[in-house]
Amino acid sequence: TAYRRQRQMCIRDRVSISGSLAEDYFEELYTTSLKERGIIHRPTPPQNPSLGSGTCTIFITEDDSGTSERTMLTNLGVSGEVILSDADIEFIGSAKWLLVEGYLFEPESTYNSMCRAAQKMKDNKKKVAITLSADFCVRKNLKLINEFITEYADIVVGNNTEAMILTGSPTPGESAKILQKRGLTGAVTCGNMGAFVFDQESVCFIPSPKVEEVVDTTGAGDQFFAGFIFRLFQGCLLYTSDAADDMQCV
């Protein structure tokens, strides 16, 4: 999420984030970083402060063949439970687009808050986008995520594994077609191969530009999502060279 917000600020969008932090070292780190980047942070009260602020520890190792492997340990902490007040809902409703994380479909109180925020956006005739976040999120909350998409979402972005779980399809291309037939706009990313992008009219595969040396893919999906959403926000057509340029981080 932090990578995504930073990317959006790099492309001169005005971004706000709502979520919970505990009173600890990471709260200071996160709030300072957001402030430095001009991102509006609207904190929500943590429901269980003893859990601490959310963290993600990443180890990247390289074997003798030069192949890198990434190991991630994610702890959502207090960020896993977000309770939005009426004032928070009104604030979110003033935005043009709402981006919802796939992590926020449990517990029930958090899911209900996401639905309230999304309903406010729909009432105001605004856009709702969802990122599927992680394959385990989709597996665990498959029914709720599908219901949310049907009821509220305009845009869906996920990687090939997440999309195939969501749609029950054996291939990312078929997954994109199924989502497109549901009246959605979005993308199904396929690692260094590229991405299937789709809108109400068609589905298209855009290959990734070749990169000579990949140092670290951490945050690549978040960077992609930010660039993709921003170009849609600007009214960019999905099948142009400009759109392909925004996929360089895949």
Side-chain angles (χ1 to χ4, degrees):
T1 303
Y3 277 105
R4 189 173 307 140
R5 301 298 181 260
Q6 288 179 34
R7 167 64 173 165
Q8 286 165 333
M9 289 309 297
C10 286
I11 44 188
R12 295 182 174 83
D13 191 13
R14 186 165 181 262
V15 179
S16 173
I17 181 171
S18 293
S20 296
L21 294 171
E23 294 183 1
D24 54 22
Y25 165 78
F26 293 105
E27 177 196 30
E28 181 180 351
L29 182 67
Y30 296 153
T31 54
T32 300
S33 178
L34 292 171
K35 185 176 181 179
E36 288 175 350
R37 289 161 176 79
I39 300 173
I40 301 169
H41 178 222
R42 189 178 178 92
T44 57
Q47 301 304 300
N48 186 356
S50 64
L51 294 176
S53 298
T55 60
C56 183
T57 303
I58 301 171
F59 296 95
I60 299 174
T61 57
E62 185 174 316
D63 59 26
D64 293 337
S65 67
T67 301
S68 295
E69 182 173 301
R70 183 175 60 177
T71 304
M72 299 178 66
L73 176 61
T74 301
N75 169 36
L76 295 179
V78 296
S79 67
E81 187 169 7
V82 178
I83 309 300
L84 299 173
S85 67
D86 290 343
D88 292 327
I89 297 296
E90 288 298 321
F91 176 78
I92 290 171
S94 68
K96 292 183 178 179
W97 287 28
L98 169 66
L99 313 182
V100 176
E101 290 279 352
Y103 288 110
L104 299 177
F105 282 79
E106 58 178 332
E108 184 178 0
S109 54
T110 296
Y111 176 68
N112 289 338
S113 282
M114 296 308 103
C115 289
R116 288 180 62 212
Q119 184 60 59
K120 184 68 174 180
M121 296 297 287
K122 303 313 287 184
D123 291 344
N124 292 349
K125 302 187 185 309
K126 308 289 185 63
K127 296 286 188 182
V128 176
I130 175 174
T131 169
L132 300 177
S133 296
D135 54 4
F136 74 86
C137 293
V138 184
R139 285 195 185 93
K140 192 173 183 180
N141 300 297
L142 182 60
K143 183 174 182 291
L144 286 180
I145 291 175
N146 265 310
E147 288 177 353
F148 184 91
I149 289 172
T150 298
E151 187 71 22
Y152 305 113
D154 303 285
I155 301 155
V156 177
V157 176
N159 66 30
N160 51 355
T161 303
E162 296 158 357
M164 288 188 289
I165 296 170
L166 179 69
T167 61
S169 173
T171 68
E174 286 299 316
S175 298
K177 290 178 182 178
I178 290 171
L179 294 172
Q180 186 259 347
K181 288 178 181 178
R182 292 176 67 174
L184 297 161
T185 295
V188 176
T189 62
C190 302
N192 62 359
M193 301 299 293
F196 290 92
V197 297
F198 54 91
D199 57 19
Q200 288 83 354
E201 297 181 359
S202 58
V203 178
C204 177
F205 182 77
I206 299 181
S208 295
K210 298 301 179 183
V211 179
E212 292 296 327
E213 180 182 2
V214 178
V215 177
D216 184 359
T217 60
T218 301
D222 295 313
Q223 298 267 14
F224 174 92
F225 183 67
F228 182 81
I229 288 295
F230 184 75
R231 295 300 282 171
L232 286 179
F233 185 80
Q234 288 185 317
C236 174
L237 296 176
L238 292 180
Y239 315 118
T240 65
S241 58
D242 285 344
D245 289 342
D246 283 326
M247 297 184 187
Q248 290 184 22
C249 56
V250 176

